[in-house]
Amino acid sequence: MQKLGLTGTSKHQTDDQMKGISAVLMDGDEVFVDNGAIHAKSRIELGIQFVKSLTEVPNPRRVIGLWVTLKRFADGMGYSGAMPFELWIDADAKLGYKKLAEQVNSMDKAVRGTVDLSQLTDAEIEAFASFLRQTRADLWEHAAEGFRSAFARAESGT
């Protein structure tokens, strides 16, 4: 079972709110936690030169990231915020494209408890929901109502 790690440690020089954020990435059919993405050092980003335009990436593949945050609620720790972001990678050319400002803004919104999955397809939402439920059922059980209802969209087909 993959562990949904937290970034905060007593040695980490970051805002306390950042301690509860994780990056969940979807690369094709694989969904996994890679908290290196918080500092632009995910396994997908390593060795990639990021360019200013998507047109500069010869054969881009879309990698979807999801910033997921945790919060302590009355009944326990649960998922709170979820905001997607995109990376476009051509591993052979060692080139990639991302909108860094949007990525940072999405991270900030997730930290504040925002959940907006409108950029994702129902299949993508269901893949993330399944991963999050299976990885930490306790966090799913105690998630904010808005969090679970946003992911329920894919299950209901709306």
Side-chain angles (χ1 to χ4, degrees):
M1 178 188 298
Q2 268 184 304
K3 183 177 171 185
L4 192 63
L6 302 178
T7 60
T9 67
S10 60
K11 297 177 186 175
H12 202 273
Q13 299 296 320
T14 186
D15 186 325
D16 282 346
Q17 289 180 317
M18 295 298 286
K19 291 181 180 180
I21 193 164
S22 289
V24 181
L25 300 179
M26 181 186 309
D27 187 7
D29 292 334
E30 184 185 11
V31 180
F32 55 95
V33 174
D34 190 336
N35 285 330
I38 294 167
H39 299 288
K41 294 181 180 178
S42 68
R43 72 179 194 207
I44 290 172
E45 294 169 286
L46 293 178
I48 300 295
Q49 176 186 349
F50 285 89
V51 293
K52 295 181 182 183
S53 169
L54 181 56
T55 60
E56 296 178 59
V57 183
N59 296 303
R61 79 174 189 278
R62 180 175 178 243
V63 177
I64 307 160
L66 189 69
W67 299 120
V68 178
T69 55
L70 304 177
K71 182 177 179 182
R72 184 162 303 283
F73 298 101
D75 55 349
M77 185 70 80
Y79 295 121
S80 173
M83 291 293 298
F85 62 94
E86 294 178 322
L87 303 168
W88 295 89
I89 305 293
D90 182 339
D92 293 335
K94 297 187 186 300
L95 293 173
Y97 173 74
K98 61 183 172 183
K99 295 179 181 174
L100 187 56
E102 285 183 22
Q103 202 169 331
V104 171
N105 289 336
S106 290
M107 183 189 292
D108 182 61
K109 287 178 182 178
V111 166
R112 296 176 193 282
T114 301
V115 182
D116 181 356
L117 307 177
S118 60
Q119 295 177 350
L120 303 178
T121 67
D122 288 347
E124 292 164 346
I125 293 169
E126 179 52 38
F128 279 120
S130 177
F131 177 81
L132 293 171
R133 280 192 303 264
Q134 291 174 9
T135 302
R136 289 289 305 271
D138 59 320
L139 296 176
W140 187 266
E141 173 80 19
H142 299 296
E145 182 54 40
F147 187 94
R148 282 196 309 263
S149 64
F151 282 93
R153 179 188 101 191
E155 295 170 348
S156 66
T158 59

